[in-house]
Amino acid sequence: METTAERETAAGAAAIGPCAAIPAEHMDFIRQTLDRVGDKWSLLIIAVLQSGPLRYTDLQRQVPGISQRMLTLTLRQLHQDGLITRTAYAEVPRASSTPSPRWGTASTRSSPP
């Protein structure tokens, strides 16, 4: 005979530990969220943007070790996921020949879609 804990574990919910209180129907959403923001660069970028919007080059300076390509890819994905906003300003940039967009602060989601 199968116990309730065994059925929940088989359905994707944890039977014991810190995740045991999370309903099984929320586990997919939580896994997707952690997969999205749980990588090294996303967490660093979101942490840096918590203090306010930054230009691309300023953001790159504040995230040590990130390549231009990886910063661009990560920002694009975070923007597509709705975790950050991008605002382009019609202004002359500082000591640069092309405009650099500002990347806004991180947003939060409180419930599964």
Side-chain angles (χ1 to χ4, degrees), residues 101-113:
R102 292 182 185 219
W103 291 91
T105 58
S107 65
T108 59
R109 291 186 182 177
S110 60
S111 62

Side-chain angles (χ1 to χ4, degrees), residues 60-110:
Q60 188 174 19
R61 282 188 206 113
Q62 290 193 30
V63 180
I66 193 167
S67 68
Q68 184 175 0
R69 179 178 185 277
M70 185 53 67
L71 179 58
T72 300
L73 291 173
T74 305
L75 287 171
R76 187 176 296 143
Q77 187 63 49
L78 289 170
H79 179 66
Q80 286 174 355
D81 291 342
L83 297 173
I84 61 171
T85 58
R86 178 180 186 260
T87 306
Y89 294 95
E91 62 184 42
V92 178
R94 304 173 297 191
S96 176
S97 60
T98 58
S100 298
R102 292 182 185 219
W103 291 91
T105 58
S107 65
T108 59
R109 291 186 182 177
S110 60

Side-chain angles (χ1 to χ4, degrees), residues 1-108:
M1 198 173 237
E2 193 174 44
T3 66
T4 303
E6 290 169 341
R7 275 181 291 198
E8 287 179 0
T9 302
I16 59 171
C19 296
I22 299 171
E25 62 270 10
H26 293 233
M27 291 305 281
D28 281 341
F29 173 75
I30 292 168
R31 174 62 58 201
Q32 290 171 359
T33 302
L34 289 174
D35 287 345
R36 178 62 232 127
V37 297
D39 68 88
K40 175 182 179 180
W41 300 121
S42 293
L43 284 175
L44 288 170
I45 290 169
I46 289 170
V48 168
L49 289 175
Q50 285 298 316
S51 61
L54 291 172
R55 289 184 173 272
Y56 181 90
T57 52
D58 295 333
L59 182 58
Q60 188 174 19
R61 282 188 206 113
Q62 290 193 30
V63 180
I66 193 167
S67 68
Q68 184 175 0
R69 179 178 185 277
M70 185 53 67
L71 179 58
T72 300
L73 291 173
T74 305
L75 287 171
R76 187 176 296 143
Q77 187 63 49
L78 289 170
H79 179 66
Q80 286 174 355
D81 291 342
L83 297 173
I84 61 171
T85 58
R86 178 180 186 260
T87 306
Y89 294 95
E91 62 184 42
V92 178
R94 304 173 297 191
S96 176
S97 60
T98 58
S100 298
R102 292 182 185 219
W103 291 91
T105 58
S107 65
T108 59

